[in-house]
Amino acid sequence: MKARGFWSIALMILVTVCISANIANALDKTSTGFYYPIGEKNFNSANGWWLSKDPDYTDRRYHIGVDMMTYTNDPNDEASRVHAIHDGKVVLVRYNSKAWGPGNAAVLIEHQTKSERIVAVYGHIRPNPEIHRGKPVTAGQDIGYTGYWNKGIHLHFGIYIGDKEYPDTEHGYYGWGMVNVIYWNQRDGETGKKPFTNGFVDPIEFMEKIAPYNGPFPDEFGFSSWQAYLKVLDCIDMGRSCNYNDLKHVVDQSLIDDICNSSIPEDEKTEVISYLEEIWQGHCSTEKKKFSANCKPLVFPEITGSSNPDNDNITTYGAPDVNVKRCEVRHAGRGDFEHAIYLLPGERFDIETKVNNKGDRKAKKFTINYHRSGNKDFERSDKEVGDDKKISLDPGEAITEHKRGIKAPDDPGKYYIFIRLSKNKGDSKKSNDYSSNTNKAEYAVVYVEDPASINHLPKGYLDRADCDQIVGWAKDEDTSYAIYVHVYADGPAGGGGINIQALIADDYRSDVGSHGFSFDTPEILKDGYLHDIYVYAIDSDGGTNPLIGTGRIICIQGKNESLPIYRFCNLNTGYYIYTRWEQEKTNLLADLNWRYEGIVWYAYPDQLTETVPVYRFCNLQKGNYLYTRWEQEKTNLMADPNWRYEGIVWYAYSSQLDDSVPVYRFCNLNTGYYIYTRWEQERDNLMADPNWRYESIVWYALP
C-alpha cells in the first residue's frame, strides 16, 4: 500500500509537470526567447499602447507600459491567465485598489538578460497563492489571472531597466503604469531619453530585440562558473549592496582566475575584480586575518590592458588605489543629493562625491578634480569647476567630499559632472579612476533649462467637499492675479464629468492670501446618489490645468424627521458598516478600502414615540460591526471584552407601523460578520446561500 501510494503521488507530480510544460510550449514567444505574458503575440491594446497620451489615454496622463486586453476575469478561462516572460524571481507583490482594481495587484519579477537585470511589471492581476516576494519563477509559468477593471479587463505590462530594486512611485499616478503629463518634456534619468518614463522602456520592443539569459554562460567568455559570475554582476547592478557573507559561498579562487583569463572586456573585468577585492579586503585585511580560518583566502591580480583615455603621465590599474564610489548633485544648500537635477542658467549647485582606497597601502597626496562635460567622453581638458583638493587615504578608508556653490552654465543643455582622481608625477605609483560612462553612480547630470520655456503649474488644494460647501484654494506663481477654478462632478474633465462651477479663487485666507474659493454645494447634487467631485486649477498661461483635489459626496433630505442610513463594504475583509453620521460617511467615501453601496433605509436621530434605540458594537479582534436593539444582547456584548460599545446610532421601530419595513439580520458562518438588509431579493439570496445564517427581524425602518 505504501509503495503504491508513493508511485501514485510520483505519477501525479509527473503529470502535473508535463501539463505545465505543455502549456508553456503552447505560449507564443519572441524570436529572442521571451514569452508573451498573456501567451498571445497578437493582442489588442485598446488605447493603452506605449506612451499613449491624453486625450486618447487617461486624462492628463501618459502610459509607460503596454495594455494587453484579455476581456475576462474568469480564472478558469485560459485567456485570463498571465505567464512569466522568463525565469526570474518575484521582488514585490503590491495590492492597490485604486491603481490596479479591487482585489488586484501588481506583481514585479526580476529577469536577467545577458547584459542587465530588468524588472517586469504584471499589473491588474490576481496572483496565484504561491506568488510572493522572493519566490523563483520559471519561463512561461502561470502566475495568476487578470482581475476586473472598470475600463476593460487587461494585463498592464511594463519593463523597468533602472538601478533600483524596483521602480519608485513618486512621479505622477503611481509611477508604474502612467505618469502625469507635466513630466512629458523631461528627460528620464534612467533611459536618458524623453519623455520621462521612470526607468521604463517599451516592453514589447525590448523583448523582441533583447534576448533573455539562457543556460550556460556564453562560450566566448571561456569559463563554466557562469552562475557565480552572474551573482556578482547582480550585486553590482543592484547598487553594490552585497557583502562578504553574500558572496563567500559562490566566489573562490577558480572564479577569480577564470575571470582574469577570460575574454570578458577588460573594463568589465577590472570592475568585477576590483569590486570583489574591495569586499574581501573590507572583511579580511582590516583585521589582518586574510589567511585565517574566518576568511577565505583569495589572490587578486592586477588586470593589465584596460583602456585609458588619458596620456602617459597616468597609468590605469585594474585594482586602483582610489576609486570614485558616488558623485551626486543638488540645488545649492537645499534638498537631497541625487543623480540628476534641473537648474536655471547661472543657478548654483553643490557636488557630493564619495572616494575610497581599495588598495593595501596608503594612498598619498591624491588630487580630487571636479570637471564639467557636454558628453560622456570625459577628458582631462574638460572644464574644471571649483578648486582641486589633495587627500590621503589609508587602506580601506573612505571619505565624502563636497564642492559647494558651483555656478551652472548660462547656456541651456545637458551637462555631465565627473570626478578625476590623480597623483603627482613624482610619485612611485600613479593611479587614476574616471567617472565611468557605464556606471551612472560615478557621475552626475545637470540639466540647464531655458527660462522662457518654463511654465509653472498652478498649485492648490481641495479642503473639503460635503453637503454644505466645496472649499479650497488655488494660485499660479506665474501671475500675481487670482486664477480660475473649474469643478466637475461624476467624472473628470474630458472623461464624462459635468462642469458644475467655474469661479475665480480670490477669497482672502490667512494661509494663502487672496487665493481661496468656496461655494454652496449645488442642489442638483443633493439627490441621494454618490457624486465624485474633481477640482482643477486653470493655468494662467494656457498650459496644463492640474487636478488639485477630489472628493465624494452623497446628499439627501430626510423623511419626516428621519435621516438616511448609508451602507459601506470593506473591500479587504468583506464586513459592513452602517452609518447616519455625515462626517463618518465623508471619511468612508474618501477611503479607497471602502465601497459605498447606497442608502439602505431611513431612521431617526432622536427618540420618538414607538421607537427604540439601536446600539453599535465593534469587534476588537476582527474589526467588524454588530447592531442590536435588544437590551439583553447589548448587556451580553458589554460584558464581553472582545466587543467595544460605540453608542446609540439611530432609533427604529420595534414593531411594524405605518410605512415601515422589516430589517433582517444574517451572520456569515465562515467569518462571523453580519449583514442587515430590508430588500426582499437580497434576503432571499442570503437565505439560499449555505454560508449565511438567518437570525431574525431586528427592527423596522422607513424605506
Side-chain angles (χ1 to χ4, degrees), residues 267-575:
D267 287 342
E268 179 178 327
K269 190 185 300 185
T270 296
E271 182 180 24
V272 174
I273 294 296
S274 299
Y275 172 64
L276 291 174
E277 183 179 22
E278 177 186 355
I279 289 180
W280 251 252
Q281 288 182 343
H283 180 76
C284 304
S285 299
T286 303
E287 301 300 329
K288 305 297 182 183
K289 56 182 179 181
K290 188 164 187 175
F291 298 102
S292 73
N294 295 325
C295 182
K296 179 190 283 188
L298 294 177
V299 178
F300 295 89
E302 291 183 353
I303 307 299
T304 59
S306 55
S307 61
N308 177 15
D310 218 328
N311 58 33
D312 294 337
N313 292 329
I314 302 294
T315 303
T316 299
Y317 289 86
D321 296 324
V322 288
N323 179 57
V324 176
K325 290 290 291 179
R326 185 182 73 247
C327 177
E328 295 180 318
V329 289
R330 71 174 184 183
H331 292 79
R334 59 188 173 91
D336 296 326
F337 285 96
E338 50 190 327
H339 173 64
I341 59 173
Y342 289 81
L343 300 172
L344 294 174
E347 192 174 357
R348 301 280 177 172
F349 67 97
D350 301 333
I351 304 174
E352 178 180 84
T353 185
K354 183 177 181 180
V355 179
N356 70 343
N357 178 9
K358 300 194 297 184
D360 55 4
R361 64 178 180 82
K362 187 179 182 70
K364 300 178 181 179
K365 298 180 181 179
F366 269 80
T367 301
I368 300 180
N369 309 88
Y370 300 86
H371 291 263
R372 186 186 78 210
S373 175
N375 53 54
K376 287 187 179 179
D377 298 329
F378 302 144
E379 302 286 350
R380 172 176 289 187
S381 59
D382 287 328
K383 181 176 178 61
E384 288 198 37
V385 290
D387 299 329
D388 298 338
K389 181 173 182 178
K390 294 189 184 300
I391 60 170
S392 294
L393 294 175
D394 291 326
E397 183 182 4
I399 62 170
T400 300
E401 290 289 329
H402 296 90
K403 185 61 63 176
R404 306 183 189 278
I406 299 169
K407 184 180 178 182
D410 293 328
D411 297 326
K414 180 179 181 180
Y415 297 89
Y416 295 91
I417 306 300
F418 68 98
I419 309 301
R420 178 185 294 275
L421 302 175
S422 60
K423 289 185 65 175
N424 296 333
K425 292 182 180 180
D427 290 336
S428 59
K429 187 175 183 181
K430 308 175 182 68
S431 180
N432 174 68
D433 187 16
Y434 290 96
S435 298
S436 167
N437 62 355
T438 60
N439 184 357
K440 82 169 192 178
E442 295 185 7
Y443 68 88
V445 180
V446 170
Y447 295 96
V448 179
E449 299 183 284
D450 183 355
S453 66
I454 298 176
N455 174 30
H456 298 93
L457 283 177
K459 300 177 181 178
Y461 189 75
L462 175 63
D463 294 310
R464 82 178 227 239
D466 54 34
C467 295
D468 295 323
Q469 283 192 314
I470 296 175
V471 180
W473 63 270
K475 62 187 298 187
D476 190 339
E477 62 182 272
D478 292 329
T479 178
S480 60
Y481 295 101
I483 62 173
Y484 272 93
V485 170
H486 288 183
V487 183
Y488 287 77
D490 301 329
I498 302 171
N499 190 335
I500 60 170
Q501 188 67 269
L503 71 164
I504 297 176
D506 59 357
D507 294 347
Y508 177 78
R509 293 170 44 142
S510 60
D511 53 349
V512 295
S514 298
H515 298 287
F517 66 86
S518 64
F519 62 96
D520 294 337
T521 301
E523 292 298 319
I524 61 170
L525 301 182
K526 299 178 181 180
D527 55 5
Y529 292 101
L530 173 66
H531 296 283
D532 290 311
I533 306 298
Y534 300 80
V535 182
Y536 299 87
I538 306 304
D539 186 76
S540 61
D541 292 330
T544 300
N545 303 321
L547 179 69
I548 60 172
T550 61
R552 310 184 87 190
I553 61 174
I554 307 166
C555 305
I556 192 171
Q557 299 298 323
K559 297 179 178 181
N560 300 326
E561 303 181 64
S562 67
L563 293 175
I565 307 301
Y566 309 97
R567 186 167 88 180
F568 292 83
C569 177
N570 189 291
L571 296 173
N572 298 315
T573 62
Y575 62 75

Side-chain angles (χ1 to χ4, degrees), residues 60-305:
R60 299 174 310 285
R61 303 284 189 265
Y62 59 93
H63 200 213
I64 53 173
V66 169
D67 289 345
M68 298 180 168
M69 308 302 295
T70 65
Y71 304 106
T72 175
N73 62 335
D74 180 358
N76 298 313
D77 187 343
E78 182 58 33
S80 74
R81 307 309 300 188
V82 178
H83 306 270
I85 60 173
H86 206 262
D87 297 342
K89 183 178 71 175
V90 179
V91 296
L92 190 68
V93 177
R94 175 166 290 176
Y95 289 86
N96 187 307
S97 297
K98 184 174 181 180
W100 306 114
N104 298 343
V107 175
L108 277 66
I109 301 178
E110 66 175 8
H111 304 283
Q112 182 72 42
T113 70
K114 177 180 174 181
S115 60
E116 64 184 336
R117 168 190 176 271
I118 65 172
V119 176
V121 175
Y122 306 79
H124 301 298
I125 76 170
R126 297 288 182 95
N128 293 337
E130 73 274 10
I131 299 300
H132 53 78
R133 188 182 183 107
K135 176 74 174 179
V137 298
T138 57
Q141 178 179 331
D142 186 310
I143 62 173
Y145 65 95
T146 49
Y148 176 76
W149 182 246
N150 60 6
K151 296 180 182 178
I153 300 173
H154 68 275
L155 168 73
H156 169 87
F157 179 56
I159 286 182
Y160 170 76
I161 63 169
D163 293 337
K164 303 179 179 68
E165 181 184 9
Y166 51 84
D168 64 48
T169 58
E170 63 191 46
H171 292 94
Y173 192 75
Y174 295 101
W176 294 354
M178 53 178 111
V179 175
N180 196 303
V181 292
I182 63 174
Y183 298 104
W184 182 261
N185 291 317
Q186 291 190 17
R187 192 174 301 277
D188 190 88
E190 307 280 7
T191 67
K193 299 178 180 180
K194 288 186 178 181
F196 170 86
T197 58
N198 203 27
F200 283 86
V201 296
D202 184 334
I204 304 303
E205 180 182 65
F206 183 93
M207 290 198 307
E208 292 177 347
K209 288 184 177 181
I210 305 297
Y213 175 74
N214 285 302
F217 205 78
D219 292 338
E220 62 264 30
F221 291 143
F223 62 94
S224 60
S225 50
W226 53 272
Q227 289 178 315
Y229 185 69
L230 279 185
K231 171 66 175 176
V232 178
L233 290 182
D234 278 345
C235 290
I236 294 174
D237 289 343
M238 291 187 291
R240 304 190 174 200
S241 58
C242 300
N243 57 34
Y244 174 85
N245 290 327
D246 296 323
L247 293 172
K248 65 181 181 181
H249 300 297
V250 298
V251 176
D252 55 20
Q253 190 63 51
S254 64
L255 175 63
I256 303 298
D257 295 338
D258 282 343
I259 294 172
C260 293
N261 296 325
S262 72
S263 58
I264 293 174
E266 296 297 327
D267 287 342
E268 179 178 327
K269 190 185 300 185
T270 296
E271 182 180 24
V272 174
I273 294 296
S274 299
Y275 172 64
L276 291 174
E277 183 179 22
E278 177 186 355
I279 289 180
W280 251 252
Q281 288 182 343
H283 180 76
C284 304
S285 299
T286 303
E287 301 300 329
K288 305 297 182 183
K289 56 182 179 181
K290 188 164 187 175
F291 298 102
S292 73
N294 295 325
C295 182
K296 179 190 283 188
L298 294 177
V299 178
F300 295 89
E302 291 183 353
I303 307 299
T304 59

Side-chain angles (χ1 to χ4, degrees), residues 639-659:
D640 189 333
N642 293 314
W643 291 93
R644 180 184 68 229
Y645 175 60
E646 296 195 340
I648 296 172
V649 285
W650 59 75
Y651 293 85
Y653 295 113
S654 59
S655 59
Q656 193 162 18
L657 297 174
D658 301 327
D659 297 327

